[in-house]
Amino acid sequence: MEVSWLYLIPLLPLAGAAVNGLLGRWLPKAWLYAVALLVVLLPFCIGVFAWWQVAHIEGETAQVRQLVYTWFSVGSLRVDLGLTFDRLSGTLVLVVTGVGFLIHLYSVGYMDEDPGYWRYFAYLNLFVSMMLLLVLSDNLVAMFVGWEGVGLCSYLLIGFWYDDDAKAYAGRKAFIVNRIGDFGFLIGIFVLYLYTGQVSFQALKVAPLSLGVASAAAALLFVGATGKSAQLPLYVWLPDAMAGPTPVSALIHAATMVTAGVYMVARLSFLYVQAPGVMAVVAVIGVLTALIGAVIGTSQTDIKRVLAYSTVSQLGYMFVGVGVGAFAAGTAHLITHAFFKACLFLGSGAVIHGLKGEQDMARMGGLRRLGLKHTAATFFIATVAITGVLPISGFFSKDEILAQALNTRAFDFLTLLPDPGSPRLAFLGPAIYAIGTVTALITSFYMWRCYLLTFEGEYRGPPEVHPHEAPWVMTLPLWVLAALSVVGALIVLPSRQLPFTWEHFTEGVFARPRGGAPLERLPELVAFGIALVVAWAGFAAAWSLYAPGRGLQGDERIARATPRLRRALASALYVDALYDRILVKPLWATARGLWRAADAMIIDGLLVNGSAQLVAAVGSALRRFQNGDVQRYAAVTAVGVLILVYVFLVRG
Amino acid sequence: MVGPLHYLFLGAVLFALGGVGVVVRRNALIVLMSIELMLNAVNLTFLTFSRFPLVKSAPTQAGFLSGHTAVFFVIAVAAAEAAVGLAIVIAVFRSRSSVNVDEFDTLKF
């Protein structure tokens, strides 16, 4: 259905960003807050309206579209700024604007005392606009604009407190690591255009692609996803991204932007099912990232870094989902994760706010009884959701991914090597399930550790800091997100018969993976039982080490038992040091060499200064003739005339 | 018998003396006088060729009148030049208290 008002959804936050960014310094604070909140709330309302319409259209064409204008048209390439609001992108619009609105509201409390609040809200509005463009665009090029736009906002907001060198560096790191991924994304678009001449999703869907082209394009686009969504090997920027204000971590680095990669793979499901080998890579990278993120998360003491590694890990789960062809399960986890991880991040923000900037869990503890009861309660609910000790949203969405991985037959016909006799990859699904289940155990452990160290036991911070609860603008979003973490379970209930489940709702949006209908390797109830046991085992392990009253003894015991492992985990498995040694340092050395040889010597020395010196030398030689003595000029002229006379009259 | 060569030789000598005077003398007034000398050497040459034309078919008994005309022009222009030149020398003398051309080198780079 063609409509004419869809453009308002990304345009309103953009206008808000313009108003706040250009005039914000002079606007009264209340007005600025009103603008910043309204330009996110209004798109949410429009989104609800559009979503309601889309939900009532049946079949594959369940979408609201608008061709805003033709961006450019060169030769056979035509790129439209087209927006498509279907059941997938529409729901994500609601998540982005809904969660985004709550986080804007929370930011009003969190950033109120910061002198750069107007800059902050301008960036945040711009981010929402770019994210909505990314989600809604109906072609790869416009999507790339949004993709880069959210990257820019991420950079601006990570380095928001730019007078702190470490934070500015973290912003640059995020931007540069994402550049690597975006390069892959761009080449992927080029490959698709080169072989099909198309960039819009609708046209690509029906374009015939050979296995090689589909695989190359899918793999290159996935490189972009590993950058944006912090997967191996490009996840290193996300933990450092916690240098930004905490609401930013919640909105950009947990709920929305980092899930863009998952969304992109799901949006291009028709492409990925044509490249089963790449899907296997996606799933394997996803599960390994999930495992590594969770393992590192167990030993971090900065509350935001725990949540950052948790986000890396959960994004890994989402990629497992889309990698095994369970696009609905992957995107469902995206949605539930947006709820509970935003809640966790905002909760950590409330803690940091209440402790005057303290982020180290070693100096927290007992905050539940020290007045932060709303924060503690909502953090508890979100922790339950992510760990899955009780069957609410996170339990079902994660379990669905693992079950699909276990039962998938998408890899049955793949072989390890091109030679048909080499071993088949049918074992991949169950292997991913096993690793994912272990990861779930670790997830439960580190999240309960985080909760227990922060909110239970005795307060370990300096006595002059008096923890206090956040104002209502901050606790209200916490409660709404906690409630969503609970009722979010409704859309991910496992029963296929329920009409409102996500899988049912998005039927027709996603392509079906090859390899036939999934098996049932484990009965559903057994899988649930395993998931519950694993979650409780993680909780038990955390309780045995970090039970209230034990304080930091748990960490000390682990440090004594396995000092090397503990040190390695606390420094994030030395990945940053490794990258520093094999990539950053050589690049610096190369850049320094090129600067000295090419720039300083050849360009500056030879070309720029050299040409200037040559002209100056010729000039200083010639200036001797220009001595200002008119008689000398006359004499020279006379001699010249004599020579001419001699040449023409005497010799000629 | 005094022929055209005598006149031409005298003109050349006067022109050379004037040229050397322009180049070597340091007093601006002398330089101006040397220029006058050169101009008059040219006048003498003009008149010589007017009186002793190189072609046989001269229009009048006295030869070509165009030589005389040119000389009148030169005298008029020389008068104007002397007026302007002396005015410049006086102006320069007022500002520099000197008529030595060696000191007038502000054209130098």
Side-chain angles (χ1 to χ4, degrees):
Chain A
M1 191 168 69
E2 287 282 341
V3 294
S4 61
W5 38 262
L6 210 52
Y7 73 99
L8 286 171
I9 294 181
L11 189 69
L12 279 170
L14 189 65
V19 169
N20 288 340
L22 298 175
L23 309 174
R25 195 197 291 254
W26 299 280
L27 278 180
K29 246 185 187 179
W31 285 35
L32 183 129
Y33 290 155
V35 170
L37 291 176
L38 270 180
V39 296
V40 184
L41 187 62
L42 285 176
F44 178 73
C45 299
I46 299 171
V48 169
F49 176 69
W51 193 84
W52 190 250
Q53 293 194 321
V54 168
H56 284 86
I57 310 172
E58 287 299 319
E60 264 190 65
T61 54
Q63 52 184 228
V64 181
R65 312 167 40 81
Q66 184 185 6
L67 172 62
V68 183
Y69 63 95
T70 299
W71 183 12
F72 57 83
S73 175
V74 185
S76 65
L77 173 65
R78 192 183 126 153
V79 177
D80 296 325
L81 189 63
L83 306 176
T84 303
F85 189 105
D86 66 1
R87 292 187 168 186
L88 172 64
S89 63
T91 311
L92 285 188
V93 165
L94 296 189
V95 171
V96 170
T97 52
V99 175
F101 174 73
L102 293 172
I103 291 172
H104 275 68
L105 183 65
Y106 178 95
S107 300
V108 169
Y110 194 82
M111 298 300 286
D112 198 40
E113 284 157 25
D114 196 283
Y117 67 96
W118 57 276
R119 202 159 51 87
Y120 172 86
F121 280 100
Y123 293 161
L124 219 54
N125 281 166
L126 181 65
F127 169 78
V128 171
S129 169
M130 286 298 154
M131 191 69 209
L132 290 171
L133 177 65
L134 191 165
V135 168
L136 282 176
S137 68
D138 73 348
N139 64 68
L140 278 166
V141 179
M143 187 187 206
F144 187 68
V145 174
W147 186 274
E148 291 297 321
V150 291
L152 169 72
C153 295
S154 162
Y155 159 76
L156 289 172
L157 284 163
I158 294 169
F160 181 74
W161 290 306
Y162 52 78
D163 43 7
D164 182 338
D165 269 353
K167 289 175 176 166
Y169 179 79
R172 288 208 299 280
K173 181 174 176 183
F175 199 70
I176 291 165
V177 173
N178 268 298
R179 269 308 46 64
I180 303 169
D182 294 348
F183 185 66
F185 193 95
L186 204 54
I187 304 286
I189 298 176
F190 293 163
V191 167
L192 281 178
Y193 173 69
L194 189 65
Y195 284 93
T196 65
Q198 302 291 345
V199 289
S200 83
F201 297 138
Q202 266 196 322
L204 285 170
K205 213 169 199 166
V206 291
L209 286 169
S210 71
L211 178 66
V213 173
S215 300
L220 286 163
L221 291 169
F222 180 63
V223 171
T226 58
K228 191 66 68 196
S229 294
Q231 296 297 292
L232 281 174
L234 298 180
Y235 71 91
V236 289
W237 65 271
L238 188 56
D240 287 355
M242 298 302 128
T246 308
V248 170
S249 310
L251 178 61
I252 301 185
H253 305 118
T256 53
M257 183 191 84
V258 289
T259 59
V262 182
Y263 170 74
M264 185 272 292
V265 175
R267 180 91 282 173
L268 294 171
S269 58
F270 58 86
L271 173 69
Y272 277 84
V273 294
Q274 295 178 62
V278 177
M279 284 182 71
V281 171
V282 172
V284 169
I285 296 244
V287 78
L288 290 180
T289 310
L291 180 65
I292 287 177
V295 168
I296 297 176
T298 56
S299 297
Q300 300 296 316
T301 52
D302 183 323
I303 184 168
K304 283 183 75 180
R305 285 185 93 84
V306 173
L307 295 178
Y309 280 108
S310 166
T311 305
V312 171
S313 172
Q314 297 294 314
L315 288 165
Y317 274 122
M318 296 175 209
F319 277 106
V320 170
V322 294
V324 299
F327 298 105
T331 45
H333 195 55
L334 189 167
I335 294 166
T336 56
H337 175 258
F339 297 150
F340 60 69
K341 189 51 70 64
C343 184
L344 287 170
F345 262 116
L346 293 186
S348 79
V351 168
I352 295 165
H353 182 83
L355 294 180
K356 301 265 177 279
E358 183 59 63
Q359 300 196 11
D360 192 345
M361 291 193 298
R363 286 190 286 277
M364 294 179 184
L367 298 183
R368 181 168 61 85
R369 276 177 289 110
L370 284 172
L372 279 77
K373 58 179 192 297
H374 294 296
T375 309
T378 51
F379 203 93
F380 181 82
I381 294 170
T383 306
V384 169
I386 186 174
T387 56
V389 289
L390 291 175
I392 57 177
S393 61
F395 176 84
F396 288 117
S397 56
K398 181 161 68 185
D399 195 65
E400 177 67 12
I401 288 174
L402 291 177
Q404 295 268 8
L406 177 65
N407 297 330
T408 186
R409 282 169 68 192
F411 308 134
D412 283 6
F413 57 96
L414 285 178
T415 54
L416 193 59
L417 301 168
D419 167 30
S422 66
R424 303 213 156 232
L425 289 180
F427 68 88
L428 210 53
I432 288 171
Y433 171 78
I435 300 174
T437 307
V438 172
T439 306
L441 175 82
I442 304 170
T443 304
S444 179
F445 172 76
Y446 73 73
M447 278 316 300
W448 284 115
R449 167 180 179 267
C450 178
Y451 173 79
L452 292 169
L453 281 180
T454 307
F455 292 103
E456 303 296 337
E458 296 302 318
Y459 180 58
R460 297 179 296 275
E464 66 271 17
V465 175
H466 300 290
H468 60 88
E469 181 62 291
W472 71 268
V473 286
M474 290 166 70
T475 50
L476 176 72
L478 284 175
W479 276 112
V480 175
L481 287 168
L484 284 170
S485 307
V486 176
V487 299
L490 278 179
I491 66 160
V492 285
L493 281 179
S495 172
R496 309 278 184 280
Q497 279 73 46
L498 294 172
F500 48 80
T501 61
W502 179 246
E503 186 164 3
H504 190 80
F505 185 66
T506 55
E507 230 169 18
V509 174
F510 302 119
R512 285 185 190 286
R514 293 177 188 174
L519 303 167
E520 193 170 32
R521 292 200 168 99
L522 275 179
E524 207 158 14
L525 280 177
V526 176
F528 281 156
I530 293 175
L532 265 182
V533 167
V534 160
W536 279 100
F539 172 71
W543 184 268
S544 72
L545 285 165
Y546 301 101
R550 297 212 178 144
L552 292 171
Q553 285 170 16
D555 276 357
E556 284 154 17
R557 269 174 67 189
I558 298 176
R560 247 180 287 123
T562 56
R564 275 185 154 184
L565 181 68
R566 169 84 191 165
R567 262 207 312 282
L569 289 179
S571 22
L573 295 175
Y574 308 118
V575 173
D576 273 318
L578 181 73
Y579 284 1
D580 198 49
R581 188 156 304 166
I582 62 169
L583 290 173
V584 180
K585 288 253 167 65
L587 268 175
W588 268 107
T590 315
R592 202 178 292 271
L594 282 175
W595 164 50
R596 293 248 165 86
D599 196 53
M601 260 173 65
I602 296 176
I603 294 179
D604 279 357
L606 199 64
L607 297 181
V608 177
N609 290 338
S611 58
Q613 275 164 7
L614 180 71
V615 171
V618 171
S620 69
L622 288 176
R623 62 179 279 225
R624 292 180 196 291
F625 294 101
Q626 183 95 4
N627 63 353
D629 184 352
V630 183
Q631 285 183 312
R632 180 89 55 90
Y633 301 165
V636 171
T637 311
V639 170
V641 169
L642 281 181
I643 293 172
L644 285 177
V645 167
Y646 175 77
V647 167
F648 285 106
L649 291 184
V650 180
R651 296 200 52 194
Chain B
M1 180 61 193
V2 177
L5 276 180
H6 297 91
Y7 294 110
L8 288 180
F9 188 73
L10 177 63
V13 168
L14 287 175
F15 188 86
L17 282 173
V20 171
V22 167
V23 171
V24 302
R25 294 309 293 260
R26 294 293 175 252
N27 189 315
L29 287 171
I30 306 286
V31 170
L32 277 177
M33 288 161 70
S34 301
I35 293 172
E36 294 299 323
L37 200 57
M38 290 170 80
L39 288 167
N40 283 310
V42 171
N43 285 345
L44 188 58
T45 313
F46 266 125
L47 291 175
T48 306
F49 282 112
S50 176
R51 185 71 182 78
F52 306 101
L54 296 178
V55 291
K56 292 293 173 205
S57 58
T60 65
Q61 192 68 46
F64 288 95
L65 285 177
S66 50
H68 297 270
T69 318
V71 168
F72 280 122
F73 264 113
V74 172
I75 289 171
V77 171
E81 180 250 308
V84 173
L86 282 170
I88 289 173
V89 169
I90 290 166
V92 168
F93 180 75
R94 281 189 183 153
S95 70
R96 298 285 179 96
S97 309
S98 163
V99 288
N100 186 346
V101 289
D102 275 356
E103 296 171 21
F104 308 155
D105 58 354
T106 41
L107 281 176
K108 182 164 75 178
F109 165 63

